[in-house]
Amino acid sequence: MTTPLNPDLHCHSVFSDGTLTPEELAARAKTNGVDLWALTDHDEVGGQQRALEAARAQGLDCVTGVEVSVTFADTTVHIVGLGFDHADPRMAEGLADTRDGRGPRAREMAAQLEKAGIPGAYEGALKYVGNPRLIARPHFARYLVETGVCRDTAEVFRKYLTEGNPGYVPHRWARLGDAVRWIVQSGGLAVIAHPARYRFTPIEEYALFTEFRQHGGQGVEVITGAHSTQEALRYADMAREFGLAASRGSDFHSPDESHTDLGKLPALPADLTPVWSLLAGRVHGAASA
Ligand code: AMP
Ligand code: MN
Ligand code: MN
Ligand code: MN
């Protein structure tokens, strides 16, 4: 692998809550000048083989990826895994357990929406589900936009599906230590996704970073579609303070919904250790294919 200039190590396909296939994402990444790519579906590695093959067909370097849902300090935190063995059975089992509650949760979300005057949301959301194992809030959001309840998905998440609003169902996801272990044991690198999104107190955030490191986590997303310039600077400092490598990813979900397209991101601050410098042996190379 030559040093990538435009890595994008976070996006979603129809295997979770994205709207494009792995093949469409690989083609879009290539068009946008991405030179190291990872598909990181929520709690699911079912798209990885197709992503690797599509990347090879595009002449695009690729590492495996996943984004594991975790509950830490009563908050949902996302941990990205990169460069692991996507056939590892412990990873598969852990992700299966993590996905498990999504069906009942979705039915409860629909029941709440019905009480709020929006019937049929479960069936409606299912129309947008590409993978029967994974129903997520964006599938509901798309249905609420389709039916004119909201103008766009951002409005849905302001008015519904979030804490304090109809359709919000608290859920217990994987434990932090388990998620990191599944990733590390299968040969991968664990990365805290979009840390600014969690709205932790300083003490909670310190605990997250400290425990994450103790469990063997090695990276943090500094440049992401979810961070402002200020937030990127702040988490660059956190990466330095905690000795974590830094990652970069758009968190692209859909051409119609995502503000940040694949590969359309600022560079990492030059003094940080990029996660890809730790992934060298785990790249499925375009050139070597
Ligand atoms: P779930 O795993 O079902 O809780 O769904 C989480 C997904 O919902 C995230 O990965 C995002 O794709 C989306 N999401 C969560 N909060 C928001 C928000 N405020 N605006 C837009 N999308 C959101
Ligand atoms: Mn998502
Ligand atoms: Mn996330
Ligand atoms: Mn994501």
Side-chain angles (χ1 to χ4, degrees), residues 11 23 51 54 100 105 136 173 190 196 203 208-209 252 275 287:
C11 70
E23 291 77 16
D100 232 15
R105 170 189 186 238
W173 302 105
I203 288 172
L208 171 66
F209 276 68
F252 180 79
V275 291

Side-chain angles (χ1 to χ4, degrees), residues 16-65:
S16 64
D17 57 359
T19 63
L20 301 186
T21 62
E23 291 77 16
E24 288 166 335
L25 287 165
R28 193 177 183 99
K30 183 70 180 180
T31 300
N32 287 2
V34 171
D35 52 8
L36 178 65
W37 175 60
L39 170 65
T40 55
D41 279 312
H42 297 285
D43 308 326
E44 174 63 274
V45 292
Q48 291 304 304
Q49 195 55 41
R50 277 174 58 181
L52 293 174
E53 284 166 18
R56 178 173 307 169
Q58 292 289 341
L60 174 62
D61 280 348
C62 182
V63 291
T64 57

Side-chain angles (χ1 to χ4, degrees), residues 97-183:
D97 287 346
T98 307
R99 287 191 303 264
D100 232 15
R102 282 186 177 272
R105 170 189 186 238
R107 290 199 179 273
E108 174 63 24
M109 287 164 59
Q112 283 193 25
L113 290 172
E114 177 141 22
K115 274 191 210 140
I118 305 163
Y122 181 76
E123 293 71 22
L126 275 186
K127 290 194 292 178
Y128 294 93
V129 170
N131 169 7
R133 306 198 295 200
L134 204 129
I135 182 163
R137 284 183 289 164
H139 302 123
F140 284 86
R142 286 169 196 146
Y143 176 68
L144 266 54
V145 172
E146 174 201 315
T147 50
V149 174
C150 292
R151 250 195 327 273
D152 54 30
T153 54
E155 186 184 343
V156 176
F157 281 97
R158 273 199 308 278
K159 295 185 175 165
Y160 301 95
L161 313 180
T162 45
E163 204 166 345
N165 296 312
Y168 176 69
V169 178
H171 194 75
R172 192 149 287 279
W173 302 105
R175 287 189 299 201
L176 177 66
D178 289 337
V180 173
R181 201 161 21 260
W182 302 332
I183 294 163

